[in-house]
Amino acid sequence: MTRSTLLSLVGLVLVSLASSQTVDPSLQDLANRNADFAARLYRSVSSRTDDNVFLCPFTLATGLSALLGATSGSTQDQLLRGLSLNGLDPQSLPELVQSLRNLVLQGSLSMNLMQGMAVFPAQSLKVSPSYLEQVQTNFGGNSLSVDYTVPQEATDTINRWVQDNTGDQIQELVTSLDPQTQLLLATAASYQIRFSPSFNASLTQDERFYVDKYHVAIVPMMFQADKFFLAYDRALKAGVLKLPMNDGAAMLVVLPDEGIDITAVEEEVNGEKIRAWIRQLKKTKLEVQLPRFLLERSYTLRDALRILNITQVFQDDADIINIGETTGLKLTQVYHKSVMTVDESTDDITAGGGVNAFSTLPPRLTINRPFLFVIYQQTSSSVLFMGRVTDPTKK
Ligand SMILES: *[C@@H]1O[C@H](CO)[C@@H](O)[C@H](O)[C@H]1NC(C)=O
Ligand SMILES: *[C@@H]1O[C@H](CO)[C@@H](O)[C@H](O)[C@H]1NC(C)=O
């Protein structure tokens, strides 16, 4: 073999290695836009509460994108802008969303993450068959007609749907419904965290968590000493720790320095900020302490979406064309619920490191005050979840 063919073979191998890591530019663009939407939604929801926050923007973006195909005119334009999808062709979006979903929800992530979206039109409305097909095929969702004039039956139908789509991890999404309801959008997600390497349960011990100036909670604090990816955001005065999982996802834990208010950090979060944090991560030896926690959060999002300028779908003169033959059909509410448990659970029987013998004692990062987190799929940097833990003893 000549030297030049050998070199070109090496070149080929390098090219194929590189391309296995890159994502199609149009899918990367959609993932980035979804991350922008995720951060804006997070800011909108978190600015109105001091409690824990937990959202699955990935599923919500899918659900709202599925409404694009039902809308037209200025209602559709506004929805596109609200989802950070302005400039994209609404006709080609369903296939793009489907491709991104296929890229993200594969392998063990599809086992750990159970999620779904559904539209629930009133029984009297006629849904166009092509729209029904689009919801199922491109968005992996459901469209189920509901008789809202029989409230108990309507509630049961929606709650059964959420049980089926979250492996029974969520039992109840709605408690009471308005008999006048025309159309609801429901999105739900349940996630099983599997850190890799996992925390070793025999090293977990009760420690203090400083909820605010006046409240201390005693929480089971997990421990791990290993090499971690870490960054520090100087402008925001916050540390960023990456905790990888066994399913291709990872959690970024964003911990403001002591004395820095978490809301000051939250106000600056956007899609580009999240990407910058990921780019700046550097490997370092570290001891990490993270509280165990369980989040279960339920939202009606009409008001939060209004802050993102998504208003027209909720108005009497909404251009909702593909559901119903009547004019003046509007979306009544968007329901969103997610659950997640963060603990030492592992699928790997050999896992559970913990105490590595480092020659010098590494620094320790103790997550013992309010923090935010972003869970993302690593190849596409798709934001799956965003949340805030102010008190790990609360859901
Ligand atoms: C909502 O629309 C107004 C007016 O068009 C604009 O000033 C504002 O920045 C928009 N808000 C968001 C969150 O996009
Ligand atoms: C967890 O830590 C304990 C105590 O240091 C150790 O004995 C045990 O082997 C560890 N478990 C695993 C699975 O590494």
Side-chain angles (χ1 to χ4, degrees):
M1 198 184 296
T2 67
R3 192 183 156 90
S4 68
T5 48
L6 187 64
L7 277 179
S8 61
L9 269 180
V10 171
L12 267 180
V13 171
L14 286 177
V15 166
S16 62
L17 275 178
S19 63
S20 71
Q21 289 302 311
T22 55
V23 171
D24 179 280
S26 59
L27 293 186
Q28 191 59 63
D29 177 55
L30 181 59
N32 292 353
R33 287 163 179 267
N34 283 347
D36 295 339
F37 167 73
R40 286 191 299 123
L41 177 80
Y42 175 77
R43 290 203 309 269
S44 171
V45 171
S46 65
S47 65
R48 286 128 55 84
T49 173
D50 292 327
D51 295 340
N52 295 340
V53 172
F54 187 43
L55 294 161
C56 182
F58 182 77
T59 301
L60 184 68
T62 306
L64 289 169
S65 299
L67 281 183
L68 284 167
T71 55
S72 67
S74 62
T75 304
Q76 190 184 56
D77 287 345
Q78 199 198 42
L79 195 51
L80 273 172
R81 279 197 305 276
L83 285 165
S84 301
L85 299 176
N86 38 309
L88 293 186
D89 174 16
Q91 299 294 321
S92 60
L93 248 166
E95 277 185 32
L96 209 53
V97 172
Q98 186 179 356
S99 303
L100 185 62
R101 281 173 45 78
N102 289 342
L103 176 73
V104 170
L105 300 173
Q106 57 173 323
S108 47
L109 185 57
S110 63
M111 321 270 266
N112 294 348
L113 174 61
M114 301 204 61
Q115 53 85 48
M117 57 98 7
V119 286
F120 293 97
Q123 209 149 50
S124 53
L125 301 170
K126 198 167 174 313
V127 182
S128 99
S130 63
Y131 179 63
L132 205 62
E133 164 74 20
Q134 189 183 81
V135 167
Q136 288 171 352
T137 309
N138 301 112
F139 300 96
N142 306 102
S143 171
L144 300 169
S145 291
V146 170
D147 188 353
Y148 290 105
T149 61
V150 190
Q152 188 59 50
E153 204 181 294
T155 314
D156 288 349
T157 304
I158 295 175
N159 288 337
R160 244 193 331 271
W161 171 83
V162 82
Q163 290 157 15
D164 290 346
N165 280 269
T166 60
D168 285 330
Q169 295 302 305
I170 298 177
Q171 289 292 319
E172 191 176 82
L173 183 64
V174 291
T175 46
S176 65
L177 293 166
D178 182 350
Q180 303 293 319
T181 301
Q182 296 178 327
L183 178 65
L184 294 180
L185 173 65
T187 54
S190 150
Y191 190 43
Q192 292 283 322
I193 288 266
R194 293 285 183 265
F195 290 122
S196 175
S198 60
F199 289 86
N200 179 339
S202 60
L203 302 174
T204 300
Q205 35 184 310
D206 284 353
E207 294 203 25
R208 286 157 183 265
F209 187 97
Y210 300 89
V211 175
D212 57 35
K213 265 187 211 148
Y214 312 103
H215 300 96
V216 175
I218 302 298
V219 299
M221 194 66 93
M222 307 187 289
F223 178 88
Q224 196 179 148
D226 211 321
K227 286 179 181 153
F228 289 93
F229 282 91
L230 187 70
Y232 183 71
D233 189 321
R234 276 175 215 288
L236 298 184
K237 297 193 166 58
V240 181
L241 171 72
K242 175 179 163 182
L243 296 170
M245 306 190 207
N246 73 355
D247 57 13
M251 178 188 275
L252 289 184
V253 174
V254 182
L255 181 71
D257 288 354
E258 271 178 68
I260 300 294
D261 191 2
I262 193 163
T263 54
V265 175
E266 287 173 338
E267 280 161 13
E268 301 299 321
V269 180
N270 55 40
E272 180 45 39
K273 182 57 104 183
I274 295 170
R275 291 189 283 281
W277 285 335
I278 294 171
R279 279 197 304 271
Q280 286 157 17
L281 293 165
K282 296 225 162 45
K283 203 168 202 173
T284 183
K285 287 176 192 169
L286 209 59
E287 290 183 351
V288 167
Q289 289 186 290
L290 178 75
R292 234 190 244 158
F293 59 92
L294 185 162
L295 291 176
E296 176 169 344
R297 288 271 135 190
S298 190
Y299 300 93
T300 50
L301 289 174
R302 191 170 55 183
D303 292 339
L305 291 171
R306 190 169 288 155
I307 296 176
L308 305 190
N309 282 350
I310 300 177
T311 52
Q312 284 192 31
V313 272
F314 298 109
Q315 284 163 5
D316 287 331
D317 55 354
D319 295 319
I320 299 182
I321 47 162
N322 272 327
I323 299 171
E325 294 164 308
T326 52
T327 53
L329 168 66
K330 64 176 171 187
L331 181 64
T332 306
Q333 188 53 278
V334 175
Y335 287 90
H336 183 68
K337 188 166 185 177
S338 326
V339 298
M340 170 177 80
T341 305
V342 172
D343 61 16
E344 302 90 340
S345 296
T346 172
D347 299 329
D348 183 355
I349 45 165
T350 63
V355 190
N356 267 301
F358 294 130
S359 52
T360 54
L361 213 56
R364 178 175 287 194
L365 183 66
T366 303
I367 318 290
N368 62 356
R369 54 187 181 273
F371 59 94
L372 42 151
F373 65 84
V374 179
I375 297 175
Y376 66 104
Q377 194 264 351
Q378 294 193 62
T379 42
S380 62
S381 298
S382 281
V383 173
L384 303 173
F385 294 95
M386 283 186 77
R388 167 220 282 165
V389 177
T390 42
D391 184 347
T393 64
K394 305 234 169 77
K395 284 186 177 177

